[in-house]
């Protein structure tokens, strides 16, 4: 007999299941599909409202500022029913829960600072997204320090068109004081359907072949933007 059924296997559902499980509850997670987690940029959007986008000669607003603006102008937002103190405490508690869960996995998270600003990060949609925090493998996609970000270019991939992504990201960062560069990184590996590709990437030989093919193109990059390429059993 279960104590709790969590509906949804995304980041929020998994975090809720982890928190409940640590209290001793018997928990099951129900998910209808692969969900959007596999398409994640690695950026955690903890609190963001476009009204507080930094303007010229104006300091970046903190995560706390964004929460306050959400509470003031979007009362139907989930934060709206909790109030400022509970929202901030819940953000810190939930983040710490996730931080402990991923510690040592290679997806480690930095400590949360609610008085820091969102960091701009490159996304696989060809846009810049606000990141309250980034998982360790994705920190090279943060765009607030200049540098050069690569975009994997696989011929025949209709879901990840490198040239279009490079154009979109280059347009999005034109306002930056030190805009990063975006370059296509060629890769001749065949494009497969998502599940077939995930199964293929359980093969260590394929993982090594992929690394060998792109290694000569990534030495000077600060980050590399790729489509979801995780194995079903093993992390590529």
């Amino acid at each position: 007999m279960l104590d709790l059924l969590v509906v949804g296997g995304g980041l929020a559902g998994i975090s809720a299941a982890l928190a409940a499980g640590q209290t001793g509850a018997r928990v099951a997670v129900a998910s209808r599909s692969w969900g959007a987690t596999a398409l994640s940029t690695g950026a955690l959007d903890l609190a963001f409202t476009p009204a507080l986008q930094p303007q010229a000669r104006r300091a970046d607003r903190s995560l706390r500022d964004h929460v306050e603006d959400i509470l003031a102008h979007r009362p139907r937002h989930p934060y709206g029913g909790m109030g400022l103190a509970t929202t901030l405490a819940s953000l810190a508690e939930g983040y710490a829960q996730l931080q402990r869960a991923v510690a040592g996995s290679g997806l480690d998270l930095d400590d949360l600072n609610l008085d820091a600003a969102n960091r701009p990060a490159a996304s696989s949609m060809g846009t810049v997204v606000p990141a309250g925090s980034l998982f360790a493998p994705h920190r090279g996609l943060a765009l607030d320090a200049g540098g050069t970000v690569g975009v994997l270019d696989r011929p025949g991939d209709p879901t990840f068109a490198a040239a279009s992504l490079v154009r979109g990201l280059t347009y999005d960062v034109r306002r930056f004081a030190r805009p990063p560069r975006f370059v296509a990184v060629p890769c001749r590996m065949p494009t497969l359907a998502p599940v077939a590709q995930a199964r293929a990437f359980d093969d260590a030989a394929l993982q090594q072949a992929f690394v060998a093919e792109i290694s000569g193109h990534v030495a000077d990059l600060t980050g590399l933007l790729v489509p979801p390429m995780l194995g079903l059993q093993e992390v590529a």
Side-chain angles (χ1 to χ4, degrees):
M1 179 67 71
L2 295 174
D3 298 310
L4 178 67
L5 173 64
V6 176
V7 179
L11 186 58
I14 294 299
S15 298
L18 285 169
Q22 289 194 348
T23 69
R26 290 165 295 183
V27 183
V29 176
S31 179
R32 67 178 180 178
S33 66
W34 293 94
T37 301
L39 305 177
S40 171
T41 61
L44 298 182
D45 179 5
L46 303 175
F48 177 75
T49 177
L52 289 185
Q53 279 280 61
Q55 304 295 324
R57 298 182 300 278
R58 180 176 172 187
D60 288 354
R61 299 302 186 103
S62 70
L63 291 170
R64 188 186 304 270
D65 291 332
H66 281 279
V67 170
E68 291 178 351
D69 189 78
I70 290 169
L71 292 174
H73 298 104
R74 298 166 63 189
R76 300 184 68 177
H77 188 279
Y79 294 168
M82 297 191 295
L84 180 60
T86 300
T87 295
L88 295 176
S90 297
L91 274 175
E93 180 182 353
Y95 185 90
Q97 173 75 44
L98 182 60
Q99 191 178 38
R100 290 191 296 270
V102 301
S105 68
L107 295 173
D108 301 72
L109 290 164
D110 287 332
D111 290 340
L112 179 63
N113 180 2
L114 292 172
D115 293 314
N118 279 293
R119 301 184 69 186
S123 81
S124 58
M125 297 178 67
T127 59
V128 176
V129 298
S133 183
L134 288 157
F135 289 105
H138 302 87
R139 289 178 196 143
L141 298 178
L143 305 176
D144 48 2
T148 302
V149 174
V151 181
L152 194 69
D153 186 6
R154 295 189 302 172
D157 188 344
T159 65
F160 200 82
S164 295
L165 296 177
V166 167
R167 285 196 299 271
L169 288 163
T170 300
Y171 179 83
D172 248 16
V173 300
R174 70 197 187 284
R175 68 181 187 279
F176 285 25
R178 289 190 299 162
R181 294 178 59 245
F182 300 94
V183 297
V185 173
C187 177
R188 294 169 297 175
M189 295 186 68
T191 301
L192 302 173
V195 176
Q197 180 171 271
R199 291 196 180 99
F201 263 82
D202 280 332
D203 181 357
L206 181 63
Q207 297 178 22
Q208 293 167 6
F210 170 69
V211 172
E213 181 170 1
I214 67 170
S215 59
H217 303 281
V218 300
D220 298 325
L221 301 180
T222 55
L224 178 63
L225 196 61
V226 301
M229 300 180 76
L230 295 178
L232 289 180
Q233 303 299 325
E234 301 291 335
V235 177

